[in-house]
Amino acid sequence: MTHRFLIMGPQGAGKGTQAALLAQRAEVPAISTGDIFRANIKGETELGKLAQSFTSRGELVPDSVTNDMVRDRLGQQDTAEGFILDGYPRNAAQVEALDGILADLGWSLDAVIVLTADRDELLGRLSRRAELEGREDDTAETIARRLDIYEQETAPLIDAYRARGLLVEVDGIGEIDAVAERIDVALAAR
Ligand code: ADP
């Protein structure tokens, strides 16, 4: 059985944490576009320099750049049994691009996990994360911008994936282990 999953949800909903845990359980790589951009920014690569001009403002990196990067990453050897994509796709054009990438590889998605959380909880989590991690893009302004982009561009994708029968919605509020357990139960109930 393959494990080709997307994990979606607003910033601060715990996507990265749950993606990493689920990746361990499913023995597939967790692929976070945000992490790949941050690694490139740290390494001062050309991609990193380009990405930083957008990430530092809380804006999305241009689709062409992000789509090529994901195509490249999914084409690597370790994704044969599956993957968990975290932070991608984030808009309708990226959904279309991902459809094309997967079609070229002869693959289809197994499930789209959505972590839900209310905005107050998210803002609290994000300001704590800003203190702990000191991410450049975790200022009050960029956080608000990212949440707005999420609401306008990314949240509508949930309906599209629901219409395809792929959606698995999980309450993201609670202890990390409890949320992980909910994800397992929800995936098993598909
Ligand atoms: P968050 O979910 O908290 O916004 P991420 O780590 O997922 O953080 O992403 C950090 C930044 O990287 C985003 O604000 C955006 O600039 C860029 N980024 C990540 N994923 C994408 C994507 N799919 N398309 C465009 N830009 C992206």
Side-chain angles (χ1 to χ4, degrees):
M1 194 174 71
T2 56
H3 300 284
R4 298 186 184 120
F5 300 138
L6 306 185
I7 187 160
M8 296 179 59
Q11 286 73 11
K15 281 191 309 287
T17 305
Q18 294 300 333
L21 290 172
L22 178 59
Q24 279 178 6
R25 300 197 295 280
E27 298 183 56
V28 296
I31 299 173
S32 154
T33 45
D35 282 351
I36 300 175
F37 286 132
R38 275 186 289 281
N40 277 277
I41 291 168
K42 201 162 168 230
E44 298 179 0
T45 67
E46 286 306 312
L47 173 63
K49 282 177 210 159
L50 176 77
Q52 191 171 28
S53 62
F54 297 92
T55 61
S56 63
R57 289 182 287 126
E59 299 295 337
L60 294 186
V61 176
D63 289 341
S64 58
V65 174
T66 308
N67 292 335
D68 284 353
M69 185 176 90
V70 170
R71 179 180 286 278
D72 236 54
R73 182 63 188 85
L74 287 179
Q76 289 172 24
Q77 302 256 321
D78 61 345
T79 55
E81 297 303 313
F83 53 80
I84 300 163
L85 264 179
D86 160 18
Y88 181 93
R90 255 175 158 88
N91 60 31
Q94 293 183 5
V95 169
E96 205 175 306
L98 178 61
D99 285 343
I101 294 168
L102 294 176
D104 288 347
L105 290 162
W107 295 347
S108 54
L109 292 174
D110 295 310
V112 176
I113 300 157
V114 175
L115 287 182
T116 59
D118 71 35
R119 199 176 168 114
D120 284 347
E121 174 80 16
L122 296 172
L123 288 171
R125 286 186 182 188
L126 287 168
S127 62
R128 280 193 297 279
R129 181 171 88 182
E131 278 171 33
L132 289 172
E133 296 180 13
R135 253 174 64 171
E136 179 191 48
D137 63 342
D138 270 350
T139 65
E141 257 172 39
T142 54
I143 287 172
R145 178 70 189 132
R146 280 169 22 239
L147 283 173
D148 284 347
I149 293 177
Y150 180 81
E151 278 164 24
Q152 287 161 19
E153 297 192 40
T154 311
L157 309 182
I158 294 171
D159 288 334
Y161 284 120
R162 182 183 291 115
R164 296 188 194 185
L166 288 173
L167 211 65
V168 172
E169 275 180 293
V170 174
D171 179 3
I173 305 294
E175 297 291 328
I176 288 172
D177 290 350
V179 176
E181 173 74 21
R182 278 177 217 150
I183 291 176
D184 279 347
V185 169
L187 285 174
R190 272 177 304 153

